[in-house]
Amino acid sequence: MNFYRFLLLLVLAGGWCSQAQHTLRGSVTSAQHTPLDGAHIHIESLHAVASPDGSYELHGISTGNHRVIVSYLGYKSLDTIIDFDSDRILNAFLQPESLKLEEVQVAVRNPEKETRHDQRIKQEVLERYSNATVGDALREVAGTYTLRTGSSIVKPVINGMHSSRVPVFNGGVRLEDQQWGVEHAPNLDINSAQRLSVIKGAAALQYSGDAVGGVVLAEPFRVLQDTLFGRTILTGDSNGRGGSITSSIHKGAVKGWAWNAAGTFKYMGDRQGPDYVLSNTGNREANFAGDVAYRRESNEFTFGYSLYNTTIGIAKATHIGSTGDLVRAINSREPSVIEPFTYNIGAPRQEVMHHTVKAGYTRKSDDTETALEYALQLNDRKEYDLRRGQYENKPALDLTLATHSLTGHWKKELETGSVMLGANGMMQRNEASPDTGIRPLIPNYSRYDAGAFGMYTHKFSETLLAEAGLRYDFSHVNATKFYQKSRWDALGYNDGSLDHIITGDFGTQWRTNPTYDYHNLSASLGIRKTLESGLQLLANAGLAVRNPNPSELFSDGLHHSTGTIELGDLRIGKEKAVKLSATVLDNEGDFTFSAMPYINIINNYIYLQPTGAEYTIRGSFPVYSYRQTDALLSGLDVQAGWQVTDAFKYTFTGAYIYGQDTRNDFPVVDMPPLNITNAIRYTSSWKNLYAELRSEAVFRQSRYQDNNFFTDVAVGDELVPILTDVSTPPPGYHLLHFTSGLQFRIAGVQSALSLSVHNIFNTSYRDYLNRQRLYLDEAGRNFQLQLKLNY
């Protein structure tokens, strides 16, 4: 009898043991003890995601030996076996690994092998901006500002430079999406990026010869482990009364097939200012990005496709009926149109669809890498104006830009450094639809680019590294454009210097065939020195040459997004910039900081200057003309963090830029004012709770050009010249923002909930670099609730 009782107890004990569940907890950091926010920890079908401080917990692990995989994009995975007979602690320190970053370069992610300083945006921050834009998220980086057109058209500004001076690379492909105009935001879904990086200074030249300001790198998800995971983020905003949903799933494999798929949908109505509705400022987005890879030994084949599809309302207050109303709207600082809230998006508005298809091949061996990639981009832009009758639903601007690009590189690791050679070619065609019934702002043109580069890195010692690069680019542009003879004369083209491009006389118009050939040579030189204290010193010098873009050469008409008439100049030449920058960097310890002083000397700097107002059959609009001068831009970017206690961390970012037109001895237009951000963050081990209060102070830009002009306005029976104030910067402003969040599990799914309040006190303000600041305020207070599910 005792034997059977013993046997029963043994069976029950065995059953209990087999049902026992344990917990694995710990942290995931880099070798430099930097927390790896979003790292994945897998045990068979169980998984967890590291919180912003790198900590994690994985529950429900049965007794026995289990394979544990800890992975993070850009780092070598940890793959180990752990015997679970109780709760375990695993603190993982991951080592960086090589990743492909852009079309002609491979960047080793170990910062000690580079002379540049990448400033990255963490995944937590990207997710916070899930319902916003890439430009909004980039403001988290010191020295990066934004040039806005309303609430949804946001361009990054790096050290005072923007548009084609700051190329954006998405998964190694340079975006060619008619980004030359100030009201053209990068056609990129922020949710498709695993990480955003900003590279400032001369080091950016290795990506592009015309990167006068720097480059933005968007890195898509890339999983190099045998794993399957996904995420869904739901975001709701009170201002605009809408939100977004984005979902993605990723299948990784060391060898064989791997794939990623992600989709995003956004739906927003009119934004609300503190005192009135910003009428017709809603937006929509429906995006998709996916890729497939096949890896075999040292070979990898990839194929990817992405679609960015957006509709953006342009504030009705920016389109004025008469010259008198225009002057009153600008000078009174009151919007001319205020309507009740609506989700409808009427005219004026933008509709943009951007397709990208790419295919690549990479071969790696122990010390060499060879890569080749082809990409096709098709960008369709339609801009709708306030039109009547049969033209009511016809776009006033309809451009299709098709770009084919082919890039390749070869890299070899040496005992004392590395050498890299690469080349690229590009063929582009812009078509302006004649069905609009309006002479296009940008004409038909073809463009052909070819370039080659070489880069050599030499390691003098364990603490001293130097890098030198040289690049040659050729570009040919061939356009066909009609000019009204009155405009031709007004622009001063009738002096005979441009007669050779006239190919036809059509009564009131000239048909012209302007062509341009550009040969550019750019170069960069950089060093990195690591001191015994761990402090790192980086210095870069570079020469960048940028060709004038189609907007600067050919613009001739109304830009519907900004409500301005823009005029290019066929005589504009190349910009040449010499940039010197240095970085002092400390990434270790409780106190971290980086400081980057720089100076940029630009010959033939191209800028847009207000020159008057013009009345058309579609209303009255300010006129902006492209000009060239010599400029000096210098400044300082500072970023610091202080881990005050285990629970509290303080961060600071600040940037100041001084821009001077050295040819005419007055300030350069549209330079970001001094801006400072302070934040204090509290974190707790309970549910990974965090709360952050941010203070954002933007000072008034006191250095500006006085481009105000007099406009004749009808007063009674007389035309009276009235000063139109388009130059005076708005006052500075101070905003407070709050965000908090925690993690928990829903039906076994790791989840996170966050609540944010932007502009807590509903402060009324206008931003100096918002092209619509002449007509209306910025959006006011916004409550945002976000739920993230990791599975």
Side-chain angles (χ1 to χ4, degrees), residues 380-428:
D380 183 21
R381 165 178 287 267
K382 292 181 174 63
E383 296 188 3
Y384 292 81
D385 197 1
L386 296 167
R387 308 177 80 180
R388 300 287 186 269
Q390 59 177 325
Y391 295 104
E392 184 176 359
N393 295 315
K394 274 198 170 185
L397 179 73
D398 188 350
L399 300 177
T400 302
L401 184 74
T403 306
H404 301 264
S405 60
L406 182 66
T407 64
H409 75 259
W410 172 83
K411 181 179 181 182
K412 184 174 181 59
E413 296 290 341
L414 308 173
E415 291 185 4
T416 57
S418 64
V419 61
M420 182 164 23
L421 301 172
N424 67 284
M426 190 266 282
M427 181 173 64
Q428 188 175 80

Side-chain angles (χ1 to χ4, degrees), residues 37 52 121-134 136-141 190-191 193-194 196 231-237 243-244 246 266 651 653 677-683 690-696 736-741 752-759 782-788:
D37 176 18
I121 299 178
K122 296 190 300 183
Q123 189 179 29
E124 175 203 345
V125 177
L126 291 179
E127 291 172 348
R128 189 195 311 160
Y129 287 95
S130 175
N131 196 29
T133 69
V134 170
D136 290 313
L138 289 173
R139 289 192 66 155
E140 298 280 339
V141 176
I190 190 172
N191 297 293
Q194 168 79 359
L196 280 180
R231 69 168 186 179
T232 296
I233 301 175
L234 298 100
T235 305
D237 283 16
S244 66
T246 180
K266 298 180 182 178
T651 57
T653 61
T677 301
N678 293 277
I680 185 74
R681 183 187 182 99
Y682 168 79
T683 58
Y690 72 91
E692 181 178 289
L693 184 65
R694 299 182 66 212
S695 159
E696 178 185 2
L736 278 179
H737 315 299
F738 173 79
T739 184
S740 65
L753 185 67
S754 65
L755 172 66
S756 302
V757 187
H758 178 86
N759 190 0
N782 179 44
F783 291 92
Q784 183 182 86
L785 187 63
Q786 187 176 83
L787 175 65
K788 181 176 68 174

Side-chain angles (χ1 to χ4, degrees), residues 72-93:
Y72 189 76
L73 183 65
Y75 289 80
K76 295 178 181 177
S77 296
L78 172 65
D79 191 342
T80 186
I81 302 294
I82 295 180
D83 182 13
F84 285 89
D85 55 3
S86 62
D87 292 350
R88 296 291 190 184
I89 296 176
L90 175 62
N91 295 321
F93 303 93

Side-chain angles (χ1 to χ4, degrees), residues 296-300 361-365 368-372 411:
R296 195 69 180 175
E297 303 302 334
S298 58
N299 301 306
E300 178 178 305
Y361 168 72
T362 304
R363 179 178 178 81
K364 293 182 179 179
S365 63
T368 62
E369 177 178 286
T370 305
L372 189 66
K411 181 179 181 182

